[in-house]
Amino acid sequence: MFKWALISLCLTAHYDVSSGQDKVEQSSREMPASEGDQVILRCNYTTTDQNLYLFWYKQLPNRSPTFILNKYTFGEGTTEDEFKERFSATLDSTPKSFPLTI
C-alpha cells in the first residue's frame, strides 16, 4: 500500500476586512491509499464574503508548503504544472465546499 505523507492545507483569502467569522475546516490531514486510487480531501468553509479565493497546498514533513492550485468565485484560478494531470478541485458555493481530488 502506498501512503503519501501529505499534510494538505485548504486556505481562504479575501481582501476585505474580516469580521473574524471566516473559517476553513478540513476533514482529514492524511489519508492512506493504494497507488492509483482516487482520493478526495474534503474542505468546507464559512464566510460572508462573496468573492472567494481558495487555495490548496501540500506540505511534506519538515518542508515548506507547496502550492497546488487555487480557485476564485469569479474566474478559473490556477494549477501548478506538476499537479495538472492528477489534481483538481471544484469550488461549490452552495454547500460551501472545496474538495481536492487526487
Side-chain angles (χ1 to χ4, degrees), residues 61-75:
N62 302 316
R63 300 274 176 101
S64 298
T66 302
F67 173 74
I68 298 174
L69 58 82
N70 64 10
K71 296 284 182 184
Y72 307 109
T73 305
F74 304 104

Side-chain angles (χ1 to χ4, degrees), residues 35-66:
E35 188 170 348
D37 285 354
Q38 182 182 56
V39 174
I40 299 174
L41 300 176
R42 306 276 178 211
C43 176
N44 296 309
Y45 61 89
T46 304
T47 185
T48 56
D49 196 337
Q50 298 300 311
N51 297 317
L52 295 176
Y53 301 85
L54 290 162
F55 301 82
W56 275 102
Y57 287 82
K58 79 170 185 177
Q59 186 171 12
L60 298 173
N62 302 316
R63 300 274 176 101
S64 298
T66 302

Side-chain angles (χ1 to χ4, degrees), residues 23-25 43-50 52 54 90-99:
K23 182 169 60 171
V24 175
E25 296 179 319
C43 176
N44 296 309
Y45 61 89
T46 304
T47 185
T48 56
D49 196 337
Q50 298 300 311
L52 295 176
L54 290 162
T90 302
L91 177 56
D92 193 340
S93 59
T94 303
K96 295 191 175 182
S97 67
F98 186 49

Side-chain angles (χ1 to χ4, degrees), residues 4-9 26 29-30 41 57-61:
W4 186 16
L6 168 72
I7 299 173
S8 54
L9 308 168
Q26 190 175 333
R29 296 171 64 115
E30 193 175 299
L41 300 176
Y57 287 82
K58 79 170 185 177
Q59 186 171 12
L60 298 173

